[in-house]
Amino acid sequence: MYDYDLLVVGSANADLVIGVERRPGAGETVLGSDVAVHPGGKGANQAVAAARLGARTALLARVGDDGHGRLLLDSQRAAGVDTVGVLVGGAPTGVALITVDPSGDNSIVVSPGANGRLTPQDVRTAASLFHACRVVSTQLEIPLETVVETVRSLAPGSRFVLNPSPPRPLPAEVLAACDPLIVNEHEAKVILGDAAGVSDEPEDWARLLLAKGPRSVVVTLGAEGALVASGNGVSRVPSVKVRAVDTTGAGDAFTAALAWRLGAGESLAEAAAYAARVGAATVTAEGAQVSFPTAAEVDAL
């Protein structure tokens, strides 16, 4: 019996959000709304999203010994996440500067701070967490060598889920462990490089990504839903039509939901369909963690 349904290894940031009529161009200044401060970071977001859905969740991350770090720890605990793996100190808490336009689209700049100090040794020290969980999920807002060590620390029989964001080339060792690799259109093109120009069809991107070594691939397509690819083929997952208010955190909620449902025994297509509903519910409210739905809210959608 596992103690946790999901272990998230990743980043924890304070999100500083400003609403703008339009995002500025190079050298341009625009006026925005008052700054709102929210707990965020892809790792912390995934942990809260999973916990709010009912998953027994733990987070391995690093925050600063400062007000933003306390905000993040409070948010995790309020959602029911086990924070035994959250390390404190070494650098200021990471910060994400986010602009959101009236359509709900966002642009983000991240200062990693303490996230950049989450080391392979921190992962090795947390070995007991890896042996206590069914699924491990991570992202690329922490050092790549720490992601590699996460793969090497997986317990026999556990499943590894990776959202390579922000995208960068990945070593074969990491790609081979992904089940699935979850990418949006931009991330798919970065990882594929020149091969992305072969086709404009996401199905082709998924097949090309699969050929790089992952056991399975999910490509998220925003309002168009998602598609899943594995040795069994490629199939589309429909979206749920909603009015988007703020897309911040939607991808993190999707990944968390999919990882949890895979650990519960659902097929990749079933888990992705559920995750699409979770992502749709997330974009109907402002903010990241504060917008993540409960299981009951997803069912109502």
Side-chain angles (χ1 to χ4, degrees), residues 65-94:
D65 185 9
D66 50 34
H68 287 156
R70 289 185 286 276
L71 170 72
L72 285 156
L73 282 167
D74 288 346
S75 176
Q76 294 292 311
R77 290 165 180 160
V81 176
D82 191 332
T83 59
V84 66
V86 179
L87 307 167
V88 178
T93 300

Side-chain angles (χ1 to χ4, degrees), residues 105-166:
D105 284 335
N106 60 62
S107 295
I108 305 174
V109 177
V110 175
S111 171
N115 297 308
R117 275 72 165 185
L118 187 67
T119 66
Q121 182 57 50
D122 294 333
V123 171
R124 290 189 287 270
T125 301
S128 60
L129 283 177
F130 284 85
H131 286 274
C133 71
R134 188 183 306 272
V135 181
V136 177
S137 177
T138 191
Q139 328 79 37
L140 298 183
E141 287 184 338
I142 57 176
L144 185 58
E145 59 265 28
T146 305
V147 175
V148 172
E149 189 61 36
T150 296
V151 168
R152 295 173 179 172
S153 300
L154 295 172
S158 64
R159 190 162 186 162
F160 179 66
V161 176
L162 173 65
N163 171 220
S165 180

